[in-house]
Amino acid sequence: MVDFTTTYEPTPDEVARALGQGVRQQLKIAYLVLPSVLIVSGLVCVLVDALYMGAVMLLVAVVFPLALTWSIRRTGRRRLTYLCVPTTLRLTDDGYEARSDHFTTTMQWSLFGRIVTGPEFWLFFVNKQFTGFLPRRALSGEQQAEFDDFLASRQNTRVA
């Protein structure tokens, strides 16, 4: 049974890393497929003597992931004042509640289509859309283990 409350304050670097990881998970196909298609198309253009078009496609294939990463960080920086505040979190078997001076969020575990457990964060997804994160450091080592076990049992139940 999961039922604990903790207070933490995400750091700006932590928020940037979590957003980067979450959005990369969400846009994994775009990160892989679009540059790959551009590289192949660019090479084909070069082979058929459309050098300018080929060079542009190859350049865009290199710049696209960098531009997307920059865009994610920029979006994250805009949200820092909203996210980098003392937050009280309550995790239960039913869901979680996060409270700060700026927001209150309550979510049922059943709403999440996927929860990615990583070494630094739990990343939450609703309909393949990255919706939030929880830094592992917000919980004690014992609570982290209990929460990981809880998530694993929920996933096994969902599969069965």
Side-chain angles (χ1 to χ4, degrees):
M1 181 170 158
V2 171
D3 190 358
F4 36 85
T5 302
T6 187
T7 300
Y8 71 100
E9 184 171 345
T11 66
D13 287 342
E14 211 169 38
V15 171
R17 285 191 310 276
L19 288 174
Q21 289 176 24
V23 173
R24 272 191 199 91
Q25 287 275 331
Q26 177 182 325
L27 300 175
K28 192 182 300 186
I29 292 174
Y31 263 103
L32 296 173
V33 172
L34 186 58
S36 299
V37 168
L38 287 168
I39 289 169
V40 169
S41 299
L43 291 174
V44 168
C45 286
V46 168
L47 291 173
V48 296
D49 288 331
L51 297 178
Y52 179 76
M53 183 62 75
V56 169
M57 287 184 179
L58 292 171
L59 179 64
V60 172
V62 171
V63 172
F64 172 75
L66 300 172
L68 191 55
T69 299
W70 173 81
S71 175
I72 291 165
R73 286 185 182 157
R74 184 171 168 236
T75 301
R77 271 189 248 120
R78 282 192 229 148
R79 296 183 183 176
L80 289 179
T81 56
Y82 174 75
L83 295 172
C84 295
V85 295
T87 303
T88 301
L89 184 73
R90 179 159 186 239
L91 300 170
T92 66
D93 285 344
D94 295 326
Y96 81 91
E97 180 180 282
R99 288 180 183 231
S100 78
D101 291 341
H102 301 287
F103 64 87
T104 299
T105 302
T106 304
M107 297 283 285
Q108 299 282 323
W109 296 122
S110 59
L111 292 174
F112 296 111
R114 184 168 65 126
I115 299 174
V116 175
T117 300
E120 190 177 11
F121 307 105
W122 289 281
L123 304 173
F124 303 113
F125 295 83
V126 175
N127 296 327
K128 298 182 182 181
Q129 186 85 13
F130 174 63
T131 57
F133 69 96
L134 172 60
R136 292 184 77 84
R137 72 168 180 82
L139 304 179
S140 70
E142 184 179 300
Q143 290 171 329
Q144 288 179 29
E146 186 178 341
F147 190 54
D148 283 335
D149 290 345
F150 170 74
L151 292 176
S153 71
R154 285 191 53 79
Q155 199 165 27
N156 290 340
T157 303
R158 210 178 303 154
V159 172

